[in-house]
Amino acid sequence: MLCIVAFAVVLVLSAVSAKYRKLLGRAWGCVWRKATFRPCDSSFRDDVKSSLLAPLAVRAPGLVRPASIAIEVVAWLMVISFVVSLYIVGRSGLNLYVYGTCDKQDGQSCSLAAEMCSIDTGPIGFWESIGQGDVLGAFGNEFASLGETIAAVPSRLRAWDATEFAAADASYLGGFTEGRPVALEILDPGCRFCAQLFRNMVESGFDRTHNVTYLVYPISSDGTPRFANSPLVATYLTAIRAFDAAEGAPLGGDWFVLEKLFTEENADGLEWQVWMNNASAADAEAQLQAWLAEAGYDDSAVARIAELTTSDAVAATLSHTRDVVENDVQTRAIPSLVTDGRLHSGLVDVATLRDAG
């Protein structure tokens, strides 16, 4: 290991001073022999050690042997640290390319993907497993996660088609217009970045150049929703679409609800999304029904939509949506936007949306 560390040091030194370049060839020869499982050039190894131990041999000869052992141990630690660092950098870069986040378990921990609500999927992290004493599980989960990321690389090279993932009863912001490309947003009603993306679409005019639809995906961890009332809102949005599809004369109540949530405030000046995330389930449902009435649904229609929220059909649609998001799209970021052959993870800014138009 000492010759490997020496090679790294000599490589750096030779870049700034020609006098070290003669040693670079000997150092590389030693490393190459190590890499091919042959003994290192003992003369080079001894030269390195002698140069490090010579001052100590003069002052304290008895410490030469312990110091020699210490040098070997430090060399091993440096090499292991270097290899681990390369692995972490490589894994993070691969995750960033595939998922738009450095850390699959906690996307928001990566500064390059901070403008998003991360989806907590997969097993617990490496160090958390180590902390629980599960060493085998830690390495098993780590390499399984890496294998999953590598397997997902081809999907990121594909041409993304939003219509492939759209719901069977998809509704479109402002209605469907022939000739416009379809854009699909994956959103959680409680995620503030989803609200910002909605506003960015309107500001950029993206909603006037694309047929924008959505999949509603309440983020959860171990069965607990990230935002308390997101599952309730999701069932209403899904039930509204089912009701409109059955009636054949949709009023677009789902987009009306989303627009209220993402762009407006209540009488107290509090954003409706913030209010919804903190309201009781009863108050949240009452407000959703009030918005439906405001959108033009009569009492009978509101009652039928409320009934649909507990139906098997709506539950099956939400389950299918979750499967599409997690297994087909495999995103780790909310919002995600599929448009113009690409998958955008996290918040998309106004300039990018305007260019897409």
Side-chain angles (χ1 to χ4, degrees):
M1 289 300 111
L2 183 59
C3 61
I4 297 176
V5 174
F7 170 73
V9 174
V10 171
L11 181 63
V12 174
L13 292 175
S14 63
V16 297
S17 177
K19 70 178 182 178
Y20 294 102
R21 290 172 188 168
K22 292 181 180 179
L23 288 175
L24 187 59
R26 294 181 64 198
W28 170 246
C30 188
V31 170
W32 178 248
R33 293 182 67 85
K34 278 286 187 181
T36 53
F37 304 101
R38 291 178 293 171
C40 183
D41 181 355
S42 59
S43 64
F44 175 74
R45 180 174 177 275
D46 290 343
D47 287 346
V48 173
K49 267 197 172 182
S50 296
S51 64
L52 294 173
L53 296 174
L56 186 62
V58 173
R59 293 180 176 84
L63 296 178
V64 170
R65 181 174 176 79
S68 176
I69 295 173
I71 288 172
E72 290 287 355
V73 171
V74 170
W76 272 98
L77 292 176
M78 290 179 67
V79 171
I80 292 171
S81 176
F82 179 69
V83 171
V84 170
S85 297
L86 282 180
Y87 171 76
I88 292 173
V89 170
R91 182 199 61 185
S92 298
L94 190 61
N95 281 334
L96 186 62
Y97 172 73
V98 173
Y99 300 115
T101 174
C102 303
D103 187 344
K104 290 165 62 177
Q105 271 65 43
D106 182 12
Q108 289 170 284
S109 69
C110 175
S111 61
L112 296 179
E115 294 186 313
M116 58 177 255
C117 294
S118 62
I119 298 175
D120 181 15
T121 59
I124 63 176
F126 179 84
W127 291 111
E128 188 176 350
S129 294
I130 292 293
Q132 295 176 0
D134 185 11
V135 177
L136 292 179
F139 282 96
N141 291 338
E142 176 67 22
F143 293 124
S145 176
L146 178 62
E148 181 186 63
T149 301
I150 294 172
V153 169
S155 72
R156 289 308 181 262
L157 299 174
R158 64 187 288 182
W160 289 81
D161 182 1
T163 60
E164 181 180 342
F165 308 105
D169 58 354
S171 63
Y172 297 88
L173 179 58
F176 185 85
T177 302
E178 290 290 344
R180 291 180 182 176
V182 174
L184 172 76
E185 179 187 358
I186 301 172
L187 61 86
D188 182 320
C191 175
R192 66 187 179 92
F193 299 112
C194 296
Q196 185 61 55
L197 178 56
F198 184 93
R199 295 192 292 269
N200 287 356
M201 287 181 181
V202 174
E203 181 181 345
S204 65
F206 183 84
D207 60 320
R208 297 187 295 276
T209 59
H210 291 72
N211 289 307
V212 180
T213 187
Y214 68 92
L215 293 177
V216 59
Y217 179 89
I219 303 170
S220 64
S221 178
D222 297 326
T224 302
R226 176 82 60 84
F227 307 101
N229 286 314
S230 282
L232 175 65
V233 178
T235 59
Y236 263 84
L237 294 174
T238 307
I240 293 167
R241 290 205 318 270
F243 175 84
D244 283 356
E247 291 297 307
L251 295 176
D254 55 334
W255 283 106
F256 188 88
V257 168
L258 286 172
E259 186 171 4
K260 286 286 187 181
L261 272 176
F262 290 163
T263 68
E264 297 188 15
E265 301 175 346
N266 65 11
D268 297 325
L270 184 65
E271 294 177 356
W272 276 119
Q273 186 186 56
V274 175
W275 180 91
M276 185 65 70
N277 286 341
N278 293 280
S280 67
D283 288 344
E285 185 164 19
Q287 186 58 59
L288 289 168
Q289 293 181 9
W291 283 336
L292 288 176
E294 190 178 342
Y297 296 86
D298 60 26
D299 291 345
S300 174
V302 172
R304 289 171 59 190
I305 290 171
E307 185 179 351
L308 277 172
T309 62
T310 60
S311 68
D312 291 341
V314 166
T317 299
L318 289 170
S319 177
H320 175 70
T321 297
R322 183 166 292 276
D323 181 67
V324 169
V325 173
E326 294 178 355
N327 299 316
D328 295 339
V329 181
Q330 294 185 320
T331 186
R332 294 298 190 274
I334 297 293
S336 286
L337 181 66
V338 180
T339 182
D340 301 316
R342 291 186 57 195
L343 171 66
H344 300 267
S345 298
L347 180 64
V348 184
D349 60 34
V350 172
T352 301
L353 291 170
R354 188 174 288 125
D355 291 342

